[in-house]
Amino acid sequence: MSSSCQAFSPTGMSDKWIFLHGSALGTEWDHTLKDCSSPQGCLHHGLDTKASAPAQPTCTKNLTFPLVSVTLLVSFGSSMLYGYNLAVVNSPAVHIKAFYNATWSHRYGHGLASGPLTLLYSLTVSIFALGGLVGSLLVGVLTERYGRNVVLSRSTLLVLLASSFVGFSRELGSPEMVIVGRSIMGLHSGICLSVVPLYLGEIAPKNLRGFLGLVPSIFICLGVFFAQVLSLPELLGNDRFWPLFLSMGVVPASLQLLLLHCFPESPRYLLIERNDIFGATAALHRFLGTPNVQDVIEEMKEEQQSLSSMEMVSVWQLLRDRSVRWQTLSVVVVNAGMQLSGIDAIWFYTNTIFENAGIPASQIPYTIMGTGATEVVAGLIGCFTIEKLGRRPLIITGFCTMGICLAGITISQLLQTALPWMCYVSVTCVVGIIAGFCMGPAGVPFLMTAELFTQSHRPAAYIVGGSLNWLCNFTIGFVFPFLQMSAGAFCNLIFCGICFLVALYVYLIVPETKNKTFMEISHIFATRRSFFSIPSCLIGMMKFSGYGALESMEGSGSGSSLP
């Protein structure tokens, strides 16, 4: 336990006992800790305060201006670009294809046929995901060698380079520059999509980790929304300005490049990986806004000591490490489930669904803006409720909502010819899927990746989660058209099943991590025994930190957690 909580341990109870039996204590012990902020509160619960040393540091920290500023800066300069680049190529598709066709005709004296033209445009869209996959594989090496802050700052140079390629592509008559620019943009997003939550998860106090960890997901939604607004024909969604439209990412990237160096490096990185206690202390003073950071330093030293005989693990070592197999499996499930939920396919076919609902073609861009606003509102709801509700309720509710709405889309499409009003049910379900996704599954998986691992495993975990995320993204974009051709409306039931299975896995296996230190979370998983080594008659559903999780039920009823 962190030193800030050691003063409140019950007399005669060791920290080890608390970790091993925390699930048996349940929420009553959490309330006891909260009431022990004063000697009177401790006496009320029968706890001895005589051995509790003079200082009484609290276990919570408040938002400070540096914390808010750096969170908004990296979310605006990095995370928002991911959402922007996901949506930026949808509206100007006609103009980009016309540019490709005109350039080909100028070079070779004849235009492109429909098939090759579609293939070239598909490459322009999908190359972003391939670049992201490469970027996610570089996260571990870059963050270990240069640190989190430096990687985020220098990666913005990739955006400047990519924007130059795309912005001048039409002037130079080069479709290749658009494709190269998109791949570099994907490389930047692949790096930052993992490094931003990694950085924020390490600088945030444990009671604010969920709130700050979901801010990037709000900016991803804002990026999609800004792309939808700027794509209006009255603004940049026309033949004249589409190169500028695709290169607008240079604005937030430049702001991050100018200002991010004003904020310190992650204190956990400085102390645990660089053994720079003075730098870590100064960074904590800056981020937390208080000179009393000894409790946080002690907690990081405890983690450093536990990792003193362990080097930073590689991806292969992470996958082979049996001590973190359930954390690794959880990261695989939630990150793959995030993309295999079909959200990308829903976004891609929003125009078609709205056309089938009878919305005039001229009004569809404005209707899509409404879905973008829904994303932002749902993201805000998730951000401001995560520290009250916890991670599990948001991600379980989000996936269940998506599963129900996906089933609704299937039913509405099957009955649409007989019942014309079912078209509007489809529109409602699309909004429900997007809202459910943005409320939890859009951001919680990245936060969970930071929370489920200690410092030595965290970069490798982000490589696994990030690469899986991008690989599933690319797979859905490539496979879905063929899946829809073969299965028709029933293809949504595949995504529906995946959503419910991921929600069930989280409910049964993943514990709540709200207000817990990284070491406490590590201890929770360390106390679990192998699921397959326990007789089936001893398996039951019990409460784990206030929520259902699999545990073994032994004689006294205070069974240990399953792995």
Side-chain angles (χ1 to χ4, degrees):
M1 298 179 72
S2 65
S3 61
S4 62
C5 293
Q6 286 174 356
F8 311 132
S9 298
T11 305
M13 294 183 183
S14 66
D15 288 345
K16 181 179 179 182
W17 190 95
I18 294 171
F19 284 131
L20 290 177
H21 300 275
S23 59
L25 291 172
T27 55
E28 293 182 6
W29 176 244
D30 293 336
H31 293 311
T32 301
L33 285 180
K34 292 178 182 177
D35 292 343
C36 283
S37 57
S38 65
Q40 292 81 4
C42 290
L43 291 173
H44 173 72
H45 289 280
L47 303 182
D48 185 9
T49 59
K50 294 180 180 180
S52 62
Q56 295 180 6
T58 62
C59 292
T60 60
K61 304 294 181 183
N62 296 322
L63 275 175
T64 62
F65 181 75
L67 267 179
V68 174
S69 300
V70 74
T71 301
L72 294 177
L73 180 61
V74 298
S75 299
F76 177 72
S78 294
S79 300
M80 191 177 73
L81 291 181
Y82 169 67
Y84 185 84
N85 284 295
L86 279 179
V88 74
V89 292
N90 293 335
S91 177
V94 175
H95 309 303
I96 295 174
K97 290 180 180 179
F99 165 63
Y100 286 177
N101 200 31
T103 304
W104 192 274
S105 178
H106 178 74
R107 289 181 181 177
Y108 305 106
H110 60 87
L112 280 166
S114 176
L117 182 60
T118 302
L119 179 63
L120 192 60
Y121 177 76
S122 299
L123 178 62
T124 304
V125 175
S126 61
I127 199 72
F128 177 75
L130 293 180
L133 176 61
V134 174
S136 66
L137 295 174
L138 299 175
V139 167
V141 175
L142 294 176
T143 54
E144 182 181 350
R145 179 172 300 180
Y146 301 109
R148 287 67 164 141
N149 185 292
V150 175
V151 170
L152 287 174
S153 180
R154 294 182 181 177
S155 65
T156 55
L157 297 175
L158 294 173
V159 180
L160 304 185
L161 179 62
S163 298
S164 299
F165 272 97
V166 177
F168 292 103
S169 60
R170 188 171 61 180
E171 297 298 325
L172 299 177
S174 175
E176 296 85 357
M177 293 179 67
V178 179
I179 297 173
V180 171
R182 286 280 296 171
S183 65
I184 298 175
M185 280 289 192
L187 180 65
H188 169 265
S189 292
I191 294 171
C192 293
L193 205 60
S194 294
V195 180
V196 167
L198 174 62
Y199 182 51
L200 297 181
E202 291 183 351
I203 68 174
K206 65 180 181 181
N207 62 302
L208 296 174
R209 208 163 52 223
F211 172 76
L212 297 181
L214 281 194
V215 171
S217 67
I218 295 176
F219 275 82
I220 291 174
C221 297
L222 279 173
V224 174
F225 180 65
F226 287 153
Q228 292 168 346
V229 172
L230 293 177
S231 68
L232 295 175
E234 298 87 349
L235 298 176
L236 301 180
N238 51 59
D239 185 58
R240 180 182 179 185
F241 292 117
W242 70 262
L244 177 62
F245 181 34
L246 266 63
S247 58
M248 284 296 291
V250 71
V251 176
S254 299
L255 185 64
Q256 179 172 300
L257 180 62
L258 290 174
L259 298 179
L260 190 55
H261 71 276
C262 300
F263 297 93
E265 180 57 81
S266 161
R268 304 190 78 86
Y269 171 79
L270 292 173
L271 193 150
I272 298 176
E273 296 188 35
R274 289 290 178 257
N275 203 29
D276 182 4
I277 188 170
F278 298 106
T281 303
L284 285 171
H285 287 162
R286 178 83 183 281
F287 284 130
L288 302 184
T290 174
N292 185 17
V293 297
Q294 190 59 33
D295 56 331
V296 186
I297 291 291
E298 291 300 324
E299 186 264 321
M300 289 193 291
K301 283 184 176 179
E302 179 186 353
E303 183 175 346
Q304 185 187 38
Q305 290 174 0
S306 69
L307 302 175
S308 58
S309 60
M310 184 181 299
E311 299 289 336
M312 299 297 292
V313 303
S314 64
V315 171
W316 180 243
Q317 290 171 326
L318 175 72
L319 297 176
R320 296 183 61 189
D321 190 346
R322 294 179 58 84
S323 67
V324 294
R325 64 188 181 278
W326 282 105
Q327 292 99 308
T328 304
L329 181 60
S330 298
V331 166
V332 168
V333 170
V334 295
N335 278 277
M338 181 170 60
Q339 295 297 336
L340 296 179
S341 65
I343 185 64
D344 291 319
I346 292 297
W347 272 331
F348 185 77
Y349 284 95
T350 300
N351 283 22
T352 304
I353 294 174
F354 287 166
E355 286 175 3
N356 293 336
I359 298 175
S362 60
Q363 299 299 317
I364 288 179
Y366 303 96
T367 308
I368 292 177
M369 282 176 53
T371 64
T374 302
E375 296 172 27
V376 177
V377 172
L380 287 170
I381 292 173
C383 184
F384 285 101
T385 59
I386 188 170
E387 292 300 351
K388 183 176 181 179
L389 300 177
R391 285 72 163 141
R392 284 165 44 90
L394 285 182
I395 196 168
I396 292 172
T397 303
F399 275 116
C400 288
T401 301
M402 294 179 71
I404 293 171
C405 291
L406 283 162
I409 284 184
T410 303
I411 295 172
S412 65
Q413 288 180 344
L414 292 174
L415 300 178
Q416 190 167 304
T417 54
L419 302 172
W421 55 269
M422 275 292 178
C423 298
Y424 299 99
V425 176
S426 295
V427 174
T428 304
C429 289
V430 168
V431 174
I433 291 170
I434 294 174
F437 179 76
C438 293
M439 193 178 299
V444 174
F446 299 110
L447 175 63
M448 286 178 56
T449 305
E451 292 184 327
L452 297 185
F453 293 91
T454 55
Q455 196 78 9
S456 60
H457 293 71
R458 199 171 292 130
Y462 267 105
I463 293 176
V464 172
S467 58
L468 203 63
N469 194 304
W470 286 102
L471 189 60
C472 292
N473 186 324
F474 178 79
T475 301
I476 290 297
F478 185 79
V479 170
F480 182 75
F482 302 99
L483 187 63
Q484 191 182 46
M485 290 172 58
S486 60
F490 293 101
C491 68
N492 291 312
L493 293 180
I494 298 174
F495 303 132
C496 172
I498 291 174
C499 288
F500 284 125
L501 287 175
V502 174
L504 181 64
Y505 176 89
V506 174
Y507 180 80
L508 295 178
I509 301 297
V510 181
E512 181 57 68
T513 58
K514 182 182 71 173
N515 286 337
K516 291 182 174 65
T517 66
F518 295 122
M519 288 302 295
E520 288 171 341
I521 297 169
S522 178
H523 276 286
I524 290 173
F525 279 100
T527 57
R528 295 186 169 189
R529 297 205 309 265
S530 174
F531 175 80
F532 299 104
S533 66
I534 299 177
S536 59
C537 61
L538 298 181
I539 302 297
M541 292 300 301
M542 297 182 64
K543 288 291 182 182
F544 185 83
S545 297
Y547 296 98
L550 278 174
E551 293 181 346
S552 64
M553 299 174 59
E554 298 180 354
S556 62
S558 58
S560 59
S561 306
L562 287 180

